[in-house]
Amino acid sequence: MALFRSGLLVLTTPLASLATRLAPILTSAARLVNDTLYVHLQPGMSLEGPAQPLSTPVQATFEVLDFISHFYAGANVHPHLDIRILLTNIRTKSAFLPPLASSVQNLAHPPEVVLTDFQTLDGSQYNPVKQQLERYATSCYSCCPQLTSVLLYPEYEHGELPAEVSLPSTIRPSSPVARSPKQPVRGYRRGAVGGTFDRLHNAHKVLLSVACVLAQEQLVVGVADKDLLKSKLLPELLQSYAERVEHLSEFLVDIKPSLAFDIIPLLDPYGPAGSDPFLEFLVVSEETYRGGMAVNRFRLENDLEELALFQIQLLHDLSHRENEEDKISSSSSRQRMLGNLLRPPYERFELPPGLYVIGLTGISGSGKSSVAQRLKGLGAYVIDCDQLGHRAYAPGGPAYQPVVQAFGTDILHKDGIINRKVLGSRVFGNKKHLKMLTDIVWPVIAMLAREEMELAVAEGKQVCVIEAAMLLEAGWQSMVHEVWTIVVPETEAIRRIRERDGLSEAAAQSRLQNQMSGQQLVDQSHVVLSTLWEPHVTQLQVEKAWALLQKRIAKKPY
């Protein structure tokens, strides 16, 4: 079990040898650090001897950039760790200046422990070496006053140190000239990088780190917003622009505080890279390389110089699941949130004791009924509010007479049954009439739902699901412990509505416009599911959500 929330890992092994040792080193570090792990590269440094070691500049070469990419890729097997490779002492050729010995970099999460791969000859935790390590760490970075030091002795396979290897090329400059590992990387005064940066992950960190190494003075970071988010998978689960900028800012200032960062909303495919005459380079991924080329064409059309493009190879996600991308991506992170509890449940002491109530909602066409049936198959008692509405409207039902008195007998069929199409035409587009109707019907449905809850208790059910399209609009969240929302893209919902109800596209769109949006629903939800994929994928989601629910129910009384 990890002992420290934050730590600093000082790596002293030469990069060529270090690459093959990273996995066991990271595994050892992950046993001690639970949250933020800062990494300081100082290859070749010795912690033995009387003189205190100084932080010396590391020449930025393509080998260094490839190592950074390799490191972040390897760190993905430790998802609990927020890895941050510090770039303070990594200098491009044109910015190669001696370090300021008196400067101490403030870190957002001051390390509580300093770790190193430096090893003593006898394999012991030699106190003078540990003291040198502590002095070195505190002379470079802000650390906790009671700093602990640990010399890592990773468990290498067969007990032997791995041999040196050449790292694969992961950073490709746009220049046709072949790059070599030892080739120094040119520094630029100003450059740019862009992305969504949702739930900052290791592939983002490679992109940002390369941009920070290249930039000497200023880095412009475009963060996708508004229209650029519409095509994203599960956009309802995206972090807000403010959240993404906050996490991005903290990371950037941590890894290279000497840079000026200009973080701006990216509202079109070109952004500032297409119009800023002072920019010199643009960092892109394999996926966005064509976009970078388009930016340069746009610049040339507007009499601006082309940007030097640096293409970053995608990082593969070795643990990706079915329907997830095989690269490290925010989309996969959002998919993995499906079924998880996003916020604490409501305390509902007024509900029947021994019964845990879920409110299941979603826009029309989202698949609420199919999910409700899956939950029923797992043991839940399902209350269909649409069926309760039919009972309320039926002759002799609790809403029948009040509705007829409010809207007149001309809403009735010849047999006395309320013609819901006629009634709908009366209230559609008329806010006053719609409120008259909902003021009558919604309280009645809520009453019937409470009666159904008592039946669920009588049947010995532990979980009750209230399926209701208008759950939140009606205020029925007041009688549930959790709100579960089903989401699908609006285009998919329209397709399903047209296929199911035989409506025109305009009529289907109109139906959705009279409901809360998926985003509005998710903002008030505890659990989110999606029926976007094959039925068996939906089933796995529901089973996951159900299993997590059972754990929550078992932990606390309700």
Side-chain angles (χ1 to χ4, degrees):
M1 184 176 180
L3 303 176
F4 305 94
R5 286 173 298 177
S6 59
L8 173 66
L9 174 59
V10 179
L11 296 174
T12 63
T13 304
L15 295 187
S17 302
L18 185 56
T20 54
R21 305 181 189 185
L22 271 183
I25 289 173
L26 273 173
T27 298
S28 299
R31 294 185 184 130
L32 295 171
V33 180
N34 191 46
D35 191 359
T36 308
L37 180 65
Y38 294 104
V39 179
H40 176 87
L41 296 177
Q42 198 64 82
M45 183 181 74
S46 174
L47 292 169
E48 292 179 311
Q52 179 178 326
L54 297 176
S55 177
T56 55
V58 175
Q59 173 71 61
T61 61
F62 282 101
E63 180 186 36
V64 170
L65 296 187
D66 289 336
F67 177 82
I68 290 172
S69 179
H70 179 71
F71 194 110
Y72 278 121
N76 214 49
V77 300
H78 303 288
H80 70 284
L81 277 183
D82 177 4
I83 304 284
R84 305 184 182 189
I85 300 176
L86 301 167
L87 307 176
T88 308
N89 66 326
I90 298 176
R91 307 292 178 86
T92 53
K93 185 175 182 181
S94 53
F96 195 87
L97 301 172
L100 298 174
S102 61
S103 63
V104 177
Q105 181 181 338
N106 292 319
L107 298 172
H109 309 280
E112 300 169 356
V113 61
V114 55
L115 316 165
T116 187
D117 61 340
F118 185 86
Q119 298 180 359
T120 55
L121 293 176
D122 60 358
S124 65
Q125 294 284 336
Y126 188 47
N127 280 337
V129 172
K130 293 175 66 176
Q131 290 167 3
Q132 288 282 48
L133 178 62
E134 291 167 17
R135 283 195 289 267
Y136 180 78
T138 53
S139 69
C140 297
Y141 305 104
S142 59
C143 299
C144 290
Q146 302 299 320
L147 184 66
T148 303
S149 56
V150 176
L151 275 62
L152 297 176
Y153 288 90
E155 298 173 3
Y156 297 111
E157 192 174 354
H158 308 304
E160 297 180 2
L161 292 177
E164 293 186 6
V165 298
S166 296
L167 288 172
S169 171
T170 58
I171 317 298
R172 300 173 187 169
S174 56
S175 169
V177 178
R179 45 146 282 184
S180 64
K182 302 298 182 182
Q183 180 181 334
V185 175
R186 175 192 165 185
Y188 300 83
R189 294 180 65 190
R190 298 178 181 88
V193 64
T196 307
F197 301 115
D198 180 47
R199 290 173 176 81
L200 203 64
H201 54 63
N202 288 325
H204 290 144
K205 292 176 182 179
V206 173
L207 204 70
L208 294 165
S209 296
V210 170
C212 284
V213 169
L214 296 172
Q216 299 176 41
E217 296 180 7
Q218 183 187 37
L219 181 65
V220 178
V221 185
V223 179
D225 198 19
K226 297 183 179 177
D227 287 350
L228 292 187
L229 302 179
K230 290 181 178 179
S231 62
K232 298 295 180 182
L233 181 68
L234 301 171
E236 300 89 350
L237 292 174
L238 278 163
Q239 291 176 315
S240 69
Y241 177 81
E243 285 180 286
R244 287 179 283 138
V245 168
E246 180 183 358
H247 296 152
L248 187 60
S249 298
E250 182 185 288
F251 175 79
L252 291 171
V253 171
D254 257 357
I255 66 169
K256 194 167 181 181
S258 61
L259 273 185
F261 297 106
D262 187 11
I263 301 176
I264 61 173
L266 198 57
L267 304 176
D268 63 73
Y270 298 115
S275 57
D276 189 337
F278 299 106
L279 295 179
E280 298 171 286
F281 73 85
L282 177 64
V283 176
V284 296
S285 70
E286 283 182 82
E287 288 184 326
T288 59
Y289 182 73
R290 288 186 178 181
M293 297 290 286
V295 165
N296 271 340
R297 288 195 297 271
F298 185 77
R299 288 178 68 91
L300 290 174
E301 290 168 3
N302 290 275
D303 299 322
L304 295 175
E305 289 187 9
E306 286 186 295
L307 301 175
L309 295 182
F310 287 83
Q311 180 185 349
I312 311 300
Q313 186 175 318
L314 296 175
L315 300 190
H316 292 288
D317 185 354
L318 299 179
S319 61
H320 74 279
R321 306 165 192 169
E322 185 179 6
N323 292 301
E324 293 180 352
E325 296 178 305
D326 63 0
K327 63 170 185 173
I328 297 173
S329 73
S330 300
S331 297
S332 296
S333 298
R334 292 193 295 277
Q335 282 180 258
R336 292 167 192 174
M337 292 173 63
L338 296 172
N340 292 347
L341 185 70
L342 304 180
R343 51 181 56 84
Y346 298 127
E347 299 286 352
R348 299 297 190 209
F349 299 109
E350 70 278 14
L351 294 178
L355 189 69
Y356 201 89
V357 185
I358 302 297
L360 183 66
T361 191
I363 63 174
S364 183
S366 61
K368 295 181 293 298
S369 296
S370 69
V371 170
Q373 289 308 304
R374 294 177 190 281
L375 289 169
K376 184 177 181 179
L378 293 170
Y381 185 98
V382 175
I383 300 172
D384 185 340
C385 284
D386 194 43
Q387 291 182 4
L388 295 185
H390 284 292
R391 280 173 50 188
Y393 282 115
Y400 180 84
Q401 199 59 42
V403 169
V404 172
Q405 288 177 350
F407 293 95
T409 57
D410 56 340
I411 66 168
L412 300 176
H413 287 291
K414 291 181 180 179
D415 58 3
I417 295 174
I418 292 175
N419 186 329
R420 297 185 70 170
K421 286 188 177 180
V422 173
L423 179 60
S425 68
R426 292 278 184 88
V427 302
F428 182 76
N430 188 317
K431 291 184 179 180
K432 180 181 178 181
H433 286 175
L434 180 61
K435 188 175 188 307
M436 284 172 56
L437 181 63
T438 57
D439 283 349
I440 295 169
V441 178
W442 283 351
V444 170
I445 295 177
M447 177 192 70
L448 295 175
R450 289 182 182 276
E451 291 175 1
E452 288 286 323
M453 287 184 207
E454 297 296 340
L455 292 176
V457 173
E459 289 187 17
K461 294 292 185 178
Q462 190 179 36
V463 177
C464 176
V465 174
I466 299 177
E467 179 197 340
M470 307 300 285
L471 183 89
L472 298 181
E473 290 93 331
W476 295 336
Q477 67 267 39
S478 62
M479 56 181 185
V480 305
H481 294 93
E482 298 177 16
V483 175
W484 289 19
T485 292
I486 317 300
V487 296
V488 293
E490 187 174 299
T491 52
E492 173 64 12
I494 290 172
R495 185 193 67 78
R496 293 179 184 182
I497 294 168
R498 294 186 66 189
E499 186 177 286
R500 182 189 65 195
D501 302 335
L503 298 179
S504 67
E505 183 166 346
Q509 287 177 331
S510 178
R511 181 177 294 183
L512 293 181
Q513 287 169 0
N514 287 294
Q515 301 175 5
M516 292 177 71
S517 68
Q519 185 66 64
Q520 289 172 315
L521 295 174
V522 167
D523 288 344
Q524 300 181 60
S525 298
H526 299 84
V527 173
V528 176
L529 300 166
S530 179
T531 60
L532 182 59
W533 298 280
E534 294 83 357
H536 76 276
V537 177
T538 301
Q539 181 66 25
L540 290 174
Q541 280 182 41
V542 174
E543 290 174 358
K544 170 189 172 182
W546 180 263
L548 294 173
L549 174 65
Q550 298 308 305
K551 291 180 180 179
R552 294 197 290 279
I553 292 174
K555 283 183 179 179
K556 57 183 293 186
Y558 50 92

